[in-house]
C-alpha cells in the first residue's frame, strides 16, 4: 500500500510539473504583444535579436523612434525562440526590412547543445519566412566574445568566427546584405576590444552609436535610399 501511494504521488508530481511546463510562455510571445497591438504604421525595419538588441532599445530608444524602426530583442533567447515568434514580432508588423542579429546564445547553449549548421538552419528559416512575406532580411555578424559570464566552461571565440563565416557565406550566396560588426570590434584573441564591453559580451551604450551608422547604411542600401549618415566608425573608450 505504501509503495502504491508513493507511485501515485510521483505520478501526481510529474503531472503537475508537466502542466507547469505547458503553461510556460517559453518563447515569450507575450513580451511584445502589447507593443505590437499599438503599431498603426508599419515600421521601416524590425530588429530581431537577443539581449544585445534589447539593450540597444533600452540605451538608444530615440534611434528607433526617429528612424521608424522597431526593436524586438529578448535577453537570453536563441534562434529557436526567435524563429517561433518571428511571425508575431516581425511578419505581422509588415516592415520592409528585418535585421537579424542572433546566434550567440545558441553557442552559449542556452537551450542545450546545437551545431553551428543547425543554428544557421534557424537563421535561414527566418530569412525564408521574411522573403515569403515581402520582407528583406539583413543578416548581422555575431559580436566577438571569448567568454560567457553565465557559462564560464565554454570557449566561444573560435565558434563565433566559424558562425560568422556561415552567415556571410549564406548572405553572399543569396544576395543578402551582411553587416559585419565583428571585424572592427574583435581583438587578436577574438574577444571584444578593450573598453567596448563591461562583461566581454555586451556592448557599452556608446558602442551602439557606431553600430547604428553601419546598420543604417545597410538598411538604406536595401531600400535604395541615399545614405547621408557619417562614415561608420567604431566607438572606443
Amino acid at each position: 500500500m505504501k509503495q502504491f501511494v508513493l507511485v501515485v504521488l510521483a505520478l501526481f508530481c510529474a503531472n503537475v510539473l508537466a502542466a507547469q511546463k505547458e503553461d510556460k510562455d517559453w518563447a515569450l510571445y507575450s513580451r511584445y504583444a502589447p507593443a505590437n497591438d499599438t503599431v498603426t504604421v508599419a515600421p521601416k525595419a524590425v530588429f530581431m535579436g537577443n539581449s544585445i538588441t534589447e539593450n540597444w532599445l533600452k540605451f538608444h530608444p530615440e534611434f528607433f523612434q526617429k528612424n521608424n524602426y522597431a526593436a524586438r530583442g529578448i535577453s537570453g533567447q536563441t534562434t529557436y525562440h526567435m524563429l517561433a515568434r518571428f511571425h508575431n514580432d516581425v511578419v505581422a508588423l509588415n516592415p520592409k526590412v528585418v535585421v537579424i542579429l542572433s546566434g550567440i546564445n545558441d553557442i552559449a547553449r542556452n537551450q542545450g547543445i546545437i551545431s553551428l549548421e543547425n543554428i544557421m538552419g534557424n537563421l535561414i528559416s527566418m530569412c525564408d519566412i521574411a522573403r515569403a512575406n515581402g520582407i528583406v532580411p539583413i543578416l548581422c555578424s555575431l559580436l566577438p566574445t571569448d567568454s560567457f559570464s553565465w557559462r564560464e566552461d565554454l570557449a566561444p571565440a573560435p565558434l563565433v568566427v566559424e558562425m560568422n563565416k556561415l552567415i556571410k557565406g549564406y548572405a553572399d550566396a543569396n544576395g543578402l546584405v551582411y553587416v559585419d560588426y565583428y571585424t572592427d570590434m574583435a581583438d587578436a584573441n577574438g574577444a571584444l576590444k578593450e573598453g567596448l564591453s563591461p562583461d566581454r559580451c555586451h556592448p557599452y551604450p556608446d558602442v551602439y552609436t557606431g553600430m547604428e551608422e553601419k546598420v543604417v547604411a545597410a538598411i538604406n542600401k536595401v531600400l535604395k535610399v541615399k545614405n547621408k549618415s557619417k562614415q561608420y566608425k567604431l566607438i572606443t573608450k
Side-chain angles (χ1 to χ4, degrees):
M1 182 65 179
K2 183 177 180 180
Q3 185 177 4
F4 174 77
V5 172
L6 290 175
V7 170
V8 172
L9 181 60
L11 290 173
F12 174 78
C13 291
N15 287 333
V16 169
L17 290 173
Q20 289 176 340
K21 186 175 182 180
E22 289 173 0
D23 288 340
K24 184 178 180 181
D25 181 9
W26 72 275
L28 292 180
Y29 297 99
S30 60
R31 172 61 183 278
Y32 289 104
N36 292 342
D37 288 343
T38 64
V39 173
T40 56
V41 177
K44 186 183 298 182
V46 173
F47 286 56
M48 172 59 84
N50 47 48
S51 57
I52 294 174
T53 299
E54 184 177 34
N55 288 344
W56 201 336
L57 176 62
K58 175 183 176 182
F59 296 144
H60 291 188
E62 69 285 349
F63 167 70
F64 295 92
Q65 294 166 1
K66 72 180 182 181
N67 288 296
N68 188 26
Y69 298 157
R72 295 296 182 264
I74 298 180
S75 178
Q77 288 209 332
T78 66
T79 54
Y80 285 125
H81 297 99
M82 294 176 211
L83 181 56
R85 63 185 178 87
F86 198 83
H87 177 81
N88 290 4
D89 288 346
V90 178
V91 176
L93 302 185
N94 196 32
K96 296 178 180 178
V97 174
V98 59
V99 178
I100 303 172
L101 174 52
S102 175
I104 195 64
N105 286 327
D106 299 73
I107 291 176
R109 301 181 182 178
N110 283 17
Q111 285 291 111
I113 296 174
I114 179 174
S115 69
L116 299 185
E117 290 73 19
N118 285 334
I119 297 172
M120 192 66 235
N122 288 340
L123 292 173
I124 291 171
S125 293
M126 284 188 255
C127 290
D128 287 344
I129 294 170
R131 288 185 289 188
N133 287 277
I135 302 166
V136 180
I138 292 176
L139 289 170
C140 301
S141 72
L142 303 187
L143 273 59
T145 185
D146 64 343
S147 66
F148 299 121
S149 60
W150 65 101
R151 283 300 305 264
E152 295 180 352
D153 57 314
L154 299 179
L159 294 176
V160 172
V161 171
E162 291 304 311
M163 191 70 237
N164 284 339
K165 287 180 181 178
L166 291 178
I167 297 172
K168 186 177 188 304
Y170 175 79
D172 290 346
N174 289 273
L176 302 179
V177 173
Y178 172 75
V179 179
D180 180 11
Y181 293 129
Y182 183 91
T183 299
D184 290 331
M185 299 177 79
D187 67 14
N189 298 314
L192 275 164
K193 289 180 179 177
E194 185 70 26
L196 297 185
S197 171
D199 63 356
R200 309 177 73 84
C201 187
H202 298 87
Y204 279 118
D206 57 357
V207 176
Y208 284 101
T209 303
M211 293 172 64
E212 287 163 6
E213 293 283 352
K214 200 160 195 178
V215 76
V216 167
I219 293 170
N220 287 346
K221 178 179 180 180
V222 166
L223 299 179
K224 296 180 172 56
V225 174
K226 187 175 181 181
N227 184 30
K228 297 181 180 180
S229 63
K230 301 175 183 177
Q231 183 179 0
Y232 171 78
K233 183 178 180 181
L234 182 65
I235 298 296
T236 57
K237 291 286 184 178

